[in-house]
């Protein structure tokens, strides 16, 4: 599997000096950063930070110097980099001795914005050799290309004015740009002036470039801006406002054709944002690979486990959920189940395929707690949301390497349950449902080849359905006349008479076990097709 991520140097260039600054990099800037994790004071104090131990970059939120030093000592593998606000000399020295780069974060930066930006860079600013990771999903790449082309400083915002990506800044960046990148609200007087002149309204209402004049008294440099609009879903509806592109002019004038180029950039930004909304994250893709749902991608479980921060060995569990009535599946059911799964186990991984939702629980010692959680979840969603779910549990699974095969078995149970809801419980295990599933698969296989169904059974089903039903019940009752009569609610002599008649019509003896097996399969096939 290709290692995901970007070089540390490339990551820092994308984030820009407005947000971060390199303090030390003892192993250079070429090490790959493929994943990031947040660590706060409680994680260190409670010993929970080790769960994210396979990440390459860590953001230390509100962690004291003593806690940071203790955390660095406790890492089995030196992270590529740690991101810290106002790192002390002691923390820098300890990290450098361990081999980790130290990145200073601007004190006014919001951690959640930095974390989001880093994850965007990791997912969409990576290896250009992968067509899934090309510039067609890289807003940072678009911002920098636009900045280079028209000689301005570019930022791309969503509809709520949150910065999604930006180009490199220089000493000409004004306070509004710096604060926007840091995830802070701009100065009130700036925002008031922009609103007063209807600039935000103009961006939402049209696809024309808006010029924002310089305001020296506010230290506000000249700008161009344009709204980003997604195409209308139907001809009668207007385009959907998705965000805005801002270009701040520095000491160098903008290119003569800046407005024309900016209009093209807005179209590209809309396409990229649409792709990003539809495209699964790198994490989701790794879970899909683990489940065996990523067609054509090799399954390297050890690498996936490291990237997801999961133990690859030990028994695991897999649960597959599906709605009993597809029309009752609410939007974002995957997210709802992910909330429940994460509350049950912090290391739970959730993926989906169509209406199916899968929960992977690594390192599961016993299936009892898992089964209890599944029953509780199915019951809660029925009560709280009116959603009726069916669930199949595969446990124990031999490590994460067995998850893909277990998912196939779970799908088999859920598929059979659709055809035989009475035979398979609403919550069941692969082991409990194995007989019903195997028989269902055998009958399905026989049914795909008409020549494998004895024509005498097909004729009997067509000419005399009552006799065919008697034969089915008689065979299912293992030839017990009394049991068959009770099931059919007729006199035992009636069953005896019908059995003799069947043997005569079909020119065979039902005492022959091979005949009973052949007829039983044929009856199940014709019952399903009828």
């Amino acid at each position: 599997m290709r290692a995901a991520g970007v070089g540390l140097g490339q990551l820092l260039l994308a984030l820009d000096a407005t947000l971060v600054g390199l303090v030390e990099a003892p192993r250079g800037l070429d090490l790959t950063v493929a994943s990031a994790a947040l660590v706060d004071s409680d994680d260190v104090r409670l010993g929970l930070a080790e769960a994210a131990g396979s990440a390459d970059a860590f953001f230390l939120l509100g962690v004291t110097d003593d806690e940071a030093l203790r955390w660095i000592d406790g890492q089995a593998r030196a992270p590529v980099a740690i991101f810290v606000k106002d790192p002390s000399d002691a923390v820098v020295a300890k990290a450098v001795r361990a081999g980790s780069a130290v990145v200073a974060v601007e004190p006014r930066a919001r951690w959640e914005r930095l974390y989001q930006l880093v994850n965007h860079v990791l997912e969409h600013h990576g290896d250009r050799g992968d067509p899934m990771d090309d510039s067609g999903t890289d807003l940072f790449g678009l911002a920098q290309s636009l900045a280079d082309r028209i000689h301005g400083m570019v930022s791309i915002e969503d509809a709520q004015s949150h910065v999604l990506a930006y180009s490199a800044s220089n000493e000409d960046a004004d306070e509004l740009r710096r604060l926007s990148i840091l995830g802070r609200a701009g100065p009130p007087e700036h925002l008031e002036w922009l609103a007063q002149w209807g600039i935000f309204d103009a961006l939402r209402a049209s696809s024309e470039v808006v010029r924002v004049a310089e305001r020296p008294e506010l230290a506000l440099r000249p700008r161009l801006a344009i709204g980003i609009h997604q195409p209308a879903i139907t001809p009668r509806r207007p385009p959907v406002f998705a965000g805005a592109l801002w270009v701040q002019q520095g000491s160098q004038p903008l290119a003569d054709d800046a407005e024309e180029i900016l209009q093209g950039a807005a179209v590209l930004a809309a396409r990229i944002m649409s792709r990003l909304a539809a495209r699964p994250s790198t994490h989701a893709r790794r879970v899909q690979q683990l489940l065996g749902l990523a067609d054509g991608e090799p399954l390297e479980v050890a690498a996936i486990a490291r990237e997801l921060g999961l133990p690859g060995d030990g028994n695991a569990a897999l649960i597959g959920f599906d709605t009993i009535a597809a029309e009752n599946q609410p939007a974002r059911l995957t997210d709802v189940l992910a909330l429940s799964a994460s509350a049950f186990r912090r290391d739970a991984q959730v993926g989906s395929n169509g209406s199916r939702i899968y929960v992977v629980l690594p390192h599961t010692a016993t299936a009892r707690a898992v089964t209890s959680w599944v029953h509780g979840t199915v019951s809660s969603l029925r009560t709280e949301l009116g959603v009726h779910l069916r669930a199949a549990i595969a446990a124990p699974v031999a490590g994460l390497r067995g998850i893909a095969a277990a998912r196939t078995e779970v799908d088999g149970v859920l598929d059979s349950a659709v055809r035989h809801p009475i035979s398979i419980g609403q919550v069941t295990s692969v082991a409990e449902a194995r007989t019903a599933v195997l028989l269902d698969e055998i009958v399905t296989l026989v049914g795909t080849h008409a020549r494998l169904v004895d024509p005498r059974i097909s004729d009997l089903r067509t000419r005399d359905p009552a006799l065919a039903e008697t034969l089915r019940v008689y065979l299912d009752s293992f030839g017990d006349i009394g049991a068959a009569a009770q099931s059919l609610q007729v006199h035992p002599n009636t069953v005896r008479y019908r059995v003799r008649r069947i043997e005569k019509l079909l020119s065979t003896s039902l005492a022959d076990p091979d005949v009973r097996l052949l007829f039983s399969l044929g009856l199940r096939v014709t019952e399903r097709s009828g």
Side-chain angles (χ1 to χ4, degrees), residues 11 53 62 97 151 193 205 229 252 298 312 321 341 364-365 405 416 431 480 526 529:
L11 174 62
R97 283 198 299 272
H151 316 307
W193 183 82
H229 297 268
Q252 181 180 4
F321 294 91
T364 300
S416 293
D480 186 325
T526 55
S529 60

Side-chain angles (χ1 to χ4, degrees), residues 282-467:
T282 298
H283 183 101
R285 289 170 65 191
R286 297 296 175 253
V287 175
Q288 293 287 94
Q289 286 178 294
L290 200 61
L291 291 165
L293 294 171
D295 293 338
E297 296 188 42
L299 181 62
E300 296 185 17
V301 175
I304 293 173
R306 284 195 302 272
E307 193 169 335
L308 295 178
L310 304 176
D313 56 356
N315 288 334
L318 174 70
I319 306 98
F321 294 91
D322 203 351
T323 46
I324 292 177
E327 63 272 14
N328 291 332
Q329 178 164 333
R332 307 192 71 83
L333 180 58
T334 301
D335 292 342
V336 173
L337 279 171
L339 288 173
S340 179
S342 298
F344 174 61
R345 284 272 300 272
R346 289 185 58 162
D347 56 354
Q349 306 295 315
V350 180
S352 63
N353 185 35
S355 65
R356 301 269 166 88
I357 300 169
Y358 307 94
V359 176
V360 178
L361 299 174
H363 229 288
T364 300
T366 173
R368 183 177 302 173
V370 174
T371 302
S372 177
W373 170 72
V374 173
H375 276 284
T377 299
V378 169
S379 176
S380 296
L381 291 183
R382 181 177 62 248
T383 302
E384 300 295 335
L385 300 179
V387 179
H388 295 268
L389 292 177
R390 180 175 283 113
I393 304 166
V397 177
L400 297 183
R401 195 171 299 280
I403 290 295
R407 196 266 309 165
T408 301
E409 289 193 284
V410 163
D411 278 346
V413 174
L414 295 174
D415 289 341
S416 293
V418 173
R419 293 186 287 267
H420 308 286
I422 297 176
S423 302
I424 298 177
Q426 188 174 355
V427 175
T428 188
S429 69
V430 169
E432 291 170 342
R434 195 176 305 280
T435 299
V437 171
L438 288 175
L439 181 58
D440 179 51
E441 290 179 355
I442 291 170
V443 171
T444 300
L445 182 61
V446 171
T448 59
H449 301 280
R451 63 183 180 80
L452 297 180
V453 178
D454 193 307
R456 292 173 293 179
I457 294 299
S458 301
D459 291 343
L460 183 65
R461 178 74 74 182
T462 302
R463 289 190 301 170
D464 198 330
L467 278 184

Side-chain angles (χ1 to χ4, degrees), residues 139 146 154-165 199-200 202-204 206 210 224-229 241-247 262 265-266 269-270 273:
L139 285 173
L146 178 61
V154 176
S155 59
I156 303 174
E157 298 180 352
D158 65 14
Q160 289 73 44
S161 298
H162 297 144
V163 175
L164 299 175
I199 292 170
F200 294 124
L203 294 175
R204 291 177 178 275
S206 79
V210 177
L224 296 181
I226 188 170
I228 301 170
H229 297 268
F241 178 71
L245 264 165
W246 294 84
V247 182
L262 192 56
M273 291 166 74

Side-chain angles (χ1 to χ4, degrees), residues 50 53 71-79:
E50 286 75 8
W71 177 82
I72 293 171
D73 281 336
Q75 297 306 297
R77 179 176 71 93

Side-chain angles (χ1 to χ4, degrees), residues 41-390:
S41 182
D42 286 342
D43 289 332
V44 178
R45 181 171 52 83
L46 299 174
L48 301 176
E50 286 75 8
S54 65
D56 298 313
F58 288 89
F59 302 88
L60 305 188
L61 288 70
V63 176
T64 66
D65 279 0
D66 288 343
E67 290 169 337
L69 294 172
R70 190 166 72 252
W71 177 82
I72 293 171
D73 281 336
Q75 297 306 297
R77 179 176 71 93
V80 173
I82 61 172
F83 288 68
V84 193
K85 290 185 178 181
D86 296 322
S88 68
D89 292 342
V91 169
V92 172
K94 175 75 75 170
V96 169
R97 283 198 299 272
S100 297
V102 179
V103 180
V105 178
E106 218 287 341
R108 293 179 296 175
R110 290 189 181 276
W111 281 111
E112 67 272 17
R113 294 295 301 131
L114 174 60
Y115 187 63
Q116 290 168 358
L117 289 169
V118 167
N119 276 307
H120 179 91
V121 174
L122 296 184
E123 292 172 10
H124 309 295
H125 199 67
D127 184 354
R128 296 297 186 260
D130 182 352
M132 289 295 288
D133 284 325
D134 65 11
S135 59
T137 56
D138 183 9
L139 285 173
F140 276 89
L142 174 63
Q144 191 59 54
S145 297
L146 178 61
D148 293 341
R149 173 64 177 78
I150 65 176
H151 316 307
M153 288 172 279
V154 176
S155 59
I156 303 174
E157 298 180 352
D158 65 14
Q160 289 73 44
S161 298
H162 297 144
V163 175
L164 299 175
Y166 49 87
S167 65
S169 298
N170 57 37
E171 65 277 4
D172 295 324
D174 61 21
E175 188 70 0
L176 180 59
R177 174 177 171 81
R178 285 194 293 269
L179 289 176
S180 297
I181 290 174
L182 293 173
R184 303 286 177 178
E189 60 272 20
H190 289 187
L191 300 179
E192 182 181 348
W193 183 82
L194 290 172
Q196 177 183 343
W197 283 89
I199 292 170
F200 294 124
D201 291 338
L203 294 175
R204 291 177 178 275
S206 79
S207 298
E208 298 299 318
V209 175
V210 177
R211 284 188 169 271
V212 182
E214 183 175 16
R215 293 297 300 269
E217 72 278 14
L218 298 177
L220 193 66
R221 303 298 297 263
R223 277 172 168 74
L224 296 181
I226 188 170
I228 301 170
H229 297 268
Q230 299 289 0
I233 300 174
T234 63
R236 294 185 178 182
R237 300 185 65 178
V240 178
F241 178 71
L245 264 165
W246 294 84
V247 182
Q248 185 215 305
Q249 182 178 323
S251 56
Q252 181 180 4
L254 297 178
D256 292 339
D257 58 353
E259 292 192 22
E260 179 184 348
I261 299 300
L262 192 56
Q263 287 178 323
V267 174
L268 290 178
R271 291 177 186 169
I272 292 174
M273 291 166 74
S274 178
R275 290 171 188 160
L276 292 177
R279 178 181 180 222
S281 67
T282 298
H283 183 101
R285 289 170 65 191
R286 297 296 175 253
V287 175
Q288 293 287 94
Q289 286 178 294
L290 200 61
L291 291 165
L293 294 171
D295 293 338
E297 296 188 42
L299 181 62
E300 296 185 17
V301 175
I304 293 173
R306 284 195 302 272
E307 193 169 335
L308 295 178
L310 304 176
D313 56 356
N315 288 334
L318 174 70
I319 306 98
F321 294 91
D322 203 351
T323 46
I324 292 177
E327 63 272 14
N328 291 332
Q329 178 164 333
R332 307 192 71 83
L333 180 58
T334 301
D335 292 342
V336 173
L337 279 171
L339 288 173
S340 179
S342 298
F344 174 61
R345 284 272 300 272
R346 289 185 58 162
D347 56 354
Q349 306 295 315
V350 180
S352 63
N353 185 35
S355 65
R356 301 269 166 88
I357 300 169
Y358 307 94
V359 176
V360 178
L361 299 174
H363 229 288
T364 300
T366 173
R368 183 177 302 173
V370 174
T371 302
S372 177
W373 170 72
V374 173
H375 276 284
T377 299
V378 169
S379 176
S380 296
L381 291 183
R382 181 177 62 248
T383 302
E384 300 295 335
L385 300 179
V387 179
H388 295 268
L389 292 177
R390 180 175 283 113

